[in-house]
Amino acid sequence: MYNELKEQTLAEQLETITRKLVSLPSINGTEGEANLAEFIKQTLLTFPYFKQHPLNVWEQKIPEDQLGRKNIFALVRGKTASRKTIIFHSHLDTVGIEDFGSMKKDAFNPDALQEFFANYEYDQEVQQDALSGEWLFGRGAVDMQSGIAVHISNILYFSEHLDELPGNILLMLNPDEESQHVGVQMAISELKRLKVQEKFEFVAAINNDFITPLFEQDTTRYIYTGAAGKLLPCFYIYGREVHVGDTLTGIDPNYIASEITRRIHNNLDLAENIEGELCLPPTCLYQRDTKEIYNVQTATSSYLYFNYFIYERTAKEIMNSLKEITSQACSEVKHSSYTRYQKFLKQTGYPPKPILWDIEVITLAEFIEELESKGIETLSHTKRVIQENQGMELRMLCFKVVEALQQLDPDKKPRVILFFAPPYLPHNFLRTDNARDRILLQSIEQIVEEMGRETEETFAIKKFFPYLADGSFLSLHETDEEILSLIRNIPEWQSIGMTPFKDIRELNIASINMGVYGKDGHKWTERVFKPYTFQVLPQLIRKTTIQLLSNQLVTN
């Protein structure tokens, strides 16, 4: 590809690379992730710098990955001997293409999609963008093959202008960002190796995951100096099953689940309130009972979990809050169930039964401790569940472990067990009470101000990338105690956990997101805005790289 790129302008280079990357399907959970990684590796090796230094391009395979996925690294060393290093990173995978419907065959064909949307009268904004010629369509166009293209183009530029580089650049491309973030979590060990063996001082990591308008007519280009975190709080709900002819004496886990969901789903009171930041509320991602076939018995148990963004709060704080909310929900279910049963008795004249309506609310860590206090050994049972259900979807596996623990309890009383399931994403941000972070922030503010004057773009610096990104795994703010509280409430963490908390804390790499600009990420109308992404952004990242490597920073 190098021969094609060397005669092109910057914008032409970036469109060429983006189109090629989009044309190579790399849907999460498919072999396409590995195929794209190999293509990029071979492309980098055509660059003159890497022909001269072929060992500066390498791969790190994901252990025991049936799809053969791998991380790709490429290192460009500046002419002046320096240990200071900037990481350029992006993710290789995309979401699926089911949303394209009848257009699935063209999901990776920007030209066919542009032609289609130019005649798409059902959405005038999409149609106008297609007619303008300034937008490139296709799955992965904005999330985030254009981001990879920007980094590759800048790697090529610096490799041919080493005199402009006062340090080193490490390109890091990772699979599986759209699911478990396996790639970046595995890459932590490689970053640690480079820190120890090469004595690299990682100044910052620049991700270019996509940015997008936050409201109608918003044209601001947002720069993020940190990453939002994510929890997946789960609720295993065990009720009291009955025949449908006797439902008023039962405790329906679906009723409990719906009451919990009503109190949590999109509840803005549960979103953190940080001035100037987009902080999103928790969202229900799964609510289902465990009945597998039709019958006239009510459900015994239900599964429920939420996506929960975290910005400055900790997992321990979230767990305490959710436990209180769940207790309130169960109190409401208890009261309404009792009231309805009393009304039923009054209407029928039947004598009352001695029925208990209490619903216990307990965390996984507390429940395991309770079982152990009764002399019930738990570890062998949880490991057996893991062993017998290898290959099961990870969230369901966690529920199976908790379900097995519930079955060990001889009391079998109605209860809700709260726990966390993967993936967990740490949150991080630049701290104004930290010398390194202050200098980084001041430098970014200066660069952004200069770029705004030069390009007439409107920039804004924000604290948190508001969605989910691999940058979350480069720095850790939680204390050891807070992390322990988290993992004690993840089922069988020793078997399913992969997050290298200790190494992340030691690396403590600042996570900056200067993203490609586009619209409708994860939608079939996904598209990237070429004028900013292919002209302004690469220059912004170059200036930032040079400035940060030139600073007298306190690095880790």
Side-chain angles (χ1 to χ4, degrees), residues 39 62 231 330 551:
F39 170 80
I62 308 302
L231 292 166
C330 289
N551 282 345

Side-chain angles (χ1 to χ4, degrees), residues 181-246:
H181 304 268
V182 168
V184 70
Q185 293 188 75
M186 181 56 56
I188 296 300
S189 64
E190 188 66 4
L191 296 180
K192 185 177 180 182
R193 181 188 71 80
L194 292 170
K195 179 181 178 180
V196 173
Q197 294 183 7
E198 301 288 339
K199 308 298 183 184
F200 281 173
E201 299 172 359
F202 293 114
V203 175
I206 300 177
N207 192 7
N208 53 10
D209 215 333
F210 79 97
I211 61 174
T212 193
L214 298 183
F215 51 86
E216 196 74 22
Q217 305 302 320
D218 180 21
T219 59
T220 302
R221 314 310 187 198
Y222 296 100
I223 308 299
Y224 298 99
T225 60
K230 169 198 170 112
L231 292 166
L232 200 75
C234 302
F235 302 75
Y236 174 77
I237 305 167
Y238 185 80
R240 182 167 64 230
E241 73 279 13
V242 291
H243 188 280
V244 291
D246 194 26

Side-chain angles (χ1 to χ4, degrees), residues 207-225 276-278 444 448 457-467 512-518 532 537 540:
N207 192 7
N208 53 10
D209 215 333
F210 79 97
I211 61 174
T212 193
L214 298 183
F215 51 86
E216 196 74 22
Q217 305 302 320
D218 180 21
T219 59
T220 302
R221 314 310 187 198
Y222 296 100
I223 308 299
Y224 298 99
T225 60
E277 298 296 321
L278 173 60
I444 292 167
V448 166
E457 296 279 2
T458 300
F459 290 96
I461 297 176
K462 297 289 186 180
K463 198 171 183 178
F464 298 99
F465 183 70
Y467 311 117
I512 312 300
N513 194 88
M514 295 180 165
V516 301
Y517 185 83
Y532 176 79
L537 179 62
L540 173 64

Side-chain angles (χ1 to χ4, degrees), residues 269-288:
D269 290 336
L270 298 179
E272 295 178 52
N273 187 9
I274 304 172
E275 185 177 358
E277 298 296 321
L278 173 60
C279 297
L280 299 169
T283 303
C284 181
L285 292 181
Y286 192 94
Q287 180 177 329
R288 192 172 302 175

Side-chain angles (χ1 to χ4, degrees), residues 344-403:
F344 170 74
L345 294 178
K346 185 176 180 180
Q347 287 179 343
T348 61
Y350 291 170
K353 298 179 182 178
I355 299 174
L356 296 176
W357 301 102
D358 292 333
I359 306 164
E360 181 182 69
V361 177
I362 192 169
T363 67
L364 175 62
E366 292 169 341
F367 186 53
I368 290 175
E369 186 176 334
E370 180 181 300
L371 291 175
E372 298 282 354
S373 70
K374 295 178 180 179
I376 300 172
E377 188 272 330
T378 62
L379 188 58
S380 64
H381 293 277
T382 57
K383 288 192 176 300
R384 174 180 53 79
V385 173
I386 297 292
Q387 183 65 32
E388 292 177 353
N389 293 279
Q390 292 184 19
M392 178 177 285
E393 200 274 338
L394 200 51
R395 268 60 48 188
M396 292 301 102
L397 181 60
C398 289
F399 275 106
K400 287 294 183 185
V401 171
V402 175
E403 190 170 59

